[in-house]
Amino acid sequence: MSYDNLIGIAAGVCTALSLLPQLIKMIKEKKATDISLRMLIVLLTGLCLWVWYGILKEDWPIILTNIASLVVNLLIIGFRWYYKHARH
Amino acid sequence: MSYDNLIGIAAGVCTALSLLPQLIKMIKEKKATDISLRMLIVLLTGLCLWVWYGILKEDWPIILTNIASLVVNLLIIGFRWYYKHARH
């Protein structure tokens, strides 16, 4: 793997990891995060656009790491919805 | 501006914007966010690496938008420190 790609992957792993604590906190506390849905949707849009940008540039580190972030973001949205609306 | 660059800038504006509510909330409530410093440092590292990656690839959308996110992240860390340690 080239040096460029290593830096890109390391960058993307860090930014994806930084989303994880929110997900973990929500699952542990079994209640919806107080992070607004609007912000999560803006982030979702941004991550989708980054994946699209990576495809346009044929840039694998961007594509792969933003897909990872997207998955975490979707899980946050999903669990947030579940804890807000599910009957306990 | 090329189509690629437009998508990259739009992507980066969304992901940078998604950090703003935390900063705004903290300033409004005048108290430190409950988001862990560890997570903020991981995000800081990731954003620095993205800027570096952008420089290696000579990719302006990546460089500019990640610098914007870095500024927001540093403000969050700074205000968090201020509200945690300042005498009121």
Side-chain angles (χ1 to χ4, degrees), chain A residues 3-4 7-8 10-12 14-15 18 21 25 34 39 42-43 46 49-50 52-53 56-57 59 61-62 65, chain B residues 3-4 7-8 10-12 14-15 18 21 25 34 39 42-43 46 49-50 52-53 56-57 59 61-62 65:
Chain A
Y3 175 68
D4 293 9
I7 296 296
C14 288
T15 47
S18 73
K25 189 180 174 217
D34 58 353
M39 182 286 252
V42 171
L43 183 57
L49 287 169
W50 274 126
W52 188 3
Y53 183 70
L56 290 172
K57 292 269 185 177
D59 188 319
I62 293 181
T65 61
Chain B
Y3 175 68
D4 292 7
I7 297 295
C14 288
T15 46
S18 74
K25 189 179 176 221
D34 59 352
M39 182 283 251
V42 171
L43 183 57
L49 287 170
W50 275 126
W52 188 5
Y53 183 71
L56 290 171
K57 292 270 185 176
D59 188 317
I62 293 182
T65 60

Side-chain angles (χ1 to χ4, degrees), chain A residues 16 19-20 22-23 26-27 33 37 39-45 47-48 51 66-82:
Chain A
L19 292 172
L20 267 185
Q22 281 174 33
L23 181 61
M26 198 162 43
I27 293 173
T33 169
L37 187 62
M39 182 286 252
L40 290 168
I41 300 288
V42 171
L43 183 57
L44 186 74
T45 309
L47 294 171
C48 288
V51 174
N66 281 289
I67 285 177
S69 294
L70 253 181
V71 170
V72 179
N73 186 259
L74 286 171
L75 285 171
I76 292 174
I77 293 175
F79 275 100
R80 187 183 181 283
W81 184 88
Y82 176 77

